[in-house]
Amino acid sequence: FWPMAAPGRAAAFRLPPLPTIGEIIKLFRLKAQRQLSQNFLLDLRLTDKIVKQAGELKNAHVCEVGPGPGGITRSILSAGVEQLLLVEKDARFIPGLQILSEAAPGKVSIVHGDILTYKMDKAFPKHLKRAWEDEPPDIHIIGNLPFSVSTPLIIKWLENVSKKDGPFSYGRTQMTLTFQKEVGERLTANPGGNQRSRLSIMAQHLCSVENCFVIPGQAFVPKPKVDVAVVHFTPLVQPKIQQPFELVEKVVQSVFQFRRKYCFRGLETLFPENGRSKRTEQLMMTANVDPTLRPFQLSMSQFRNLCNTYRKMCDEDPSLFVFNYREELKQKKRTRKLLKSTSQLEQTEEEDQL
């Protein structure tokens, strides 16, 4: 972390003349690492367009995730933000970001760290906090995310939204993030759509999700094999499913476990083998869900009914929630293996006696 001078207030902020992003990359011999799924966006018109999707940023506090060589960083600073926090895992980019920091005295803080473990509940001034029911705080998260981290990171942040902690301890903090085009389509998919998935339900029950626009792959260096979607999230005042995050995630994961089969097949995995069919039937009848629907055909209200009914069943039998279908399968596999080896041993002993 590099502390900067006290913030200066100016009527309008302009970055002084700086090396281009391409020149920064050459100067510090930066090369995108394929294993980290890094792709640089050099076109400042596109970075401006991404930042514009975040909304009004004048005098706002912004956290940029994975700024890399600093293309989006320049666009954020040009939008007139009050403070910009940069969280960058790759130490190679820090010197280039320091140049930007020095060009915007008092506005930039740089953290060399992993956003998946960085504690964001103390990243911004306390006076920015707002009640959850109020308008979103003047805080934004923006990032061109590496593909390898985008899905686990948005799941982590959705859990933070559900629990109103992390960056959402300040209120309904908005996020503007990039994803693979296919992931962006999943996040915003409607019931019946081919891309409807676990991610669709987990995101849409907690947030208003907008697929803003698509950036063609050739705009990035190196060019990825896929196009990139820019997605904007605003947490909802009331989640569409008012149950704990872990319970909703368990039900939704179970439903989509067998995506192409009838939804009852996935829901069966919520219950132990003993009494599985009866309990699955009870769940679907009480929730008023047609067992022959495919997972991607279920509406948000049907998922809400399933979660609410499953919660009641767990309250009646607390062992249900801790039941793990995969562990049951592993145990059955171990038992079969043990029986097989025992049988082979007995057969060998018989042959020896003969």
Side-chain angles (χ1 to χ4, degrees):
F1 177 79
W2 286 263
M4 303 306 300
R9 294 186 178 275
F13 178 79
R14 276 182 185 272
L15 284 169
L18 289 167
T20 66
I21 298 298
E23 288 167 346
I24 289 283
I25 290 171
K26 286 179 182 176
L27 177 64
F28 294 104
R29 297 179 181 179
L30 301 174
K31 187 177 181 181
Q33 293 191 0
R34 188 176 295 276
Q35 65 268 30
L36 297 178
S37 60
Q38 292 175 338
N39 303 97
F40 303 150
L41 188 56
L42 308 185
D43 188 337
L44 292 183
R45 290 171 301 177
L46 285 173
T47 60
D48 284 347
K49 191 176 179 183
I50 291 171
V51 170
K52 191 175 180 182
Q53 299 303 318
E56 179 56 61
L57 294 185
K58 189 170 178 61
N59 300 324
H61 288 245
V62 176
C63 173
E64 186 188 354
V65 183
I72 294 178
T73 313
R74 296 184 185 210
S75 296
I76 295 171
L77 287 169
S78 297
V81 298
E82 178 75 15
Q83 288 285 307
L84 174 57
L85 169 66
L86 305 175
V87 182
E88 177 55 65
K89 184 178 180 179
D90 193 332
R92 297 175 304 144
F93 296 121
I94 302 296
L97 296 174
Q98 187 67 13
I99 290 176
L100 280 176
S101 176
E102 290 163 1
K107 284 186 176 287
V108 181
S109 301
I110 304 171
V111 171
H112 177 212
D114 188 343
I115 192 64
L116 283 167
T117 55
Y118 180 64
K119 304 291 185 186
M120 289 189 68
D121 51 351
K122 295 178 182 175
F124 306 103
K126 288 181 180 179
H127 70 81
L128 295 173
K129 287 192 176 188
R130 291 192 180 178
W132 194 259
E133 298 73 23
D134 292 346
E135 288 298 304
D138 225 359
I139 297 172
H140 295 262
I141 299 171
I142 299 174
N144 173 29
L145 305 177
F147 295 155
S148 61
V149 78
S150 61
T151 301
L153 184 56
I154 194 59
I155 288 292
K156 176 181 182 290
W157 276 337
L158 289 171
E159 183 172 3
N160 289 144
V161 171
S162 176
K163 296 177 178 177
K164 300 177 185 175
D165 60 12
F168 308 97
S169 59
Y170 295 86
R172 296 186 296 121
T173 300
Q174 298 177 79
M175 302 181 285
T176 308
L177 307 167
T178 62
F179 299 88
Q180 292 182 54
K181 183 185 174 187
E182 185 179 317
V183 177
E185 289 170 350
R186 286 180 195 162
L187 285 162
T188 54
N190 294 317
N194 287 335
Q195 296 288 11
R196 187 76 162 175
S197 67
R198 171 184 76 121
L199 212 48
S200 316
I201 310 303
M202 298 310 295
Q204 293 172 33
H205 106 83
L206 289 163
C207 297
S208 166
V209 190
E210 180 189 358
N211 199 334
C212 304
F213 66 96
V214 173
I215 305 173
Q218 59 259 34
F220 293 85
V221 178
K223 177 187 171 184
K225 294 179 181 178
V226 295
D227 295 336
V228 173
V230 177
V231 184
H232 183 76
F233 302 81
T234 305
L236 298 169
V237 173
Q238 287 288 347
K240 292 178 181 174
I241 304 172
Q242 296 191 35
Q243 293 294 348
F245 183 87
E246 293 83 1
L247 185 141
V248 177
E249 187 174 40
K250 185 178 183 184
V251 171
V252 174
Q253 275 184 331
S254 297
V255 171
F256 281 100
Q257 192 158 311
F258 302 101
R259 178 180 171 79
R260 299 191 181 280
K261 298 189 177 182
Y262 294 142
C263 62
F264 81 85
R265 180 66 189 89
L267 285 166
E268 283 183 326
T269 64
L270 289 169
F271 305 106
E273 189 172 25
N274 185 21
R276 176 171 288 155
S277 297
K278 187 177 179 182
R279 280 176 152 175
T280 305
E281 186 180 343
Q282 179 192 345
L283 171 62
M284 303 208 74
M285 283 184 66
T286 309
N288 194 27
V289 173
D290 182 347
T292 63
L293 288 173
R294 310 284 180 183
F296 57 88
Q297 294 176 309
L298 297 182
S299 67
M300 188 65 75
S301 62
Q302 287 171 316
F303 272 104
R304 180 172 60 243
N305 290 348
L306 287 169
C307 290
N308 289 344
T309 305
Y310 179 64
R311 172 65 184 272
K312 288 178 183 175
M313 295 173 80
C314 288
D315 288 344
E316 291 167 6
D317 179 0
S319 68
L320 269 187
F321 187 69
V322 295
F323 168 71
N324 187 306
Y325 178 70
R326 291 184 185 277
E327 281 302 316
E328 184 186 69
L329 288 180
K330 286 178 186 176
Q331 184 59 44
K332 285 173 74 175
K333 192 175 180 180
R334 284 193 291 266
T335 303
R336 281 198 300 268
K337 195 173 180 181
L338 183 62
L339 288 171
K340 187 178 179 182
S341 61
T342 304
S343 174
Q344 287 172 343
L345 183 63
E346 288 173 350
Q347 187 178 351
T348 304
E349 286 175 349
E350 280 182 23
E351 289 171 353
D352 288 346
Q353 286 173 0
L354 288 169

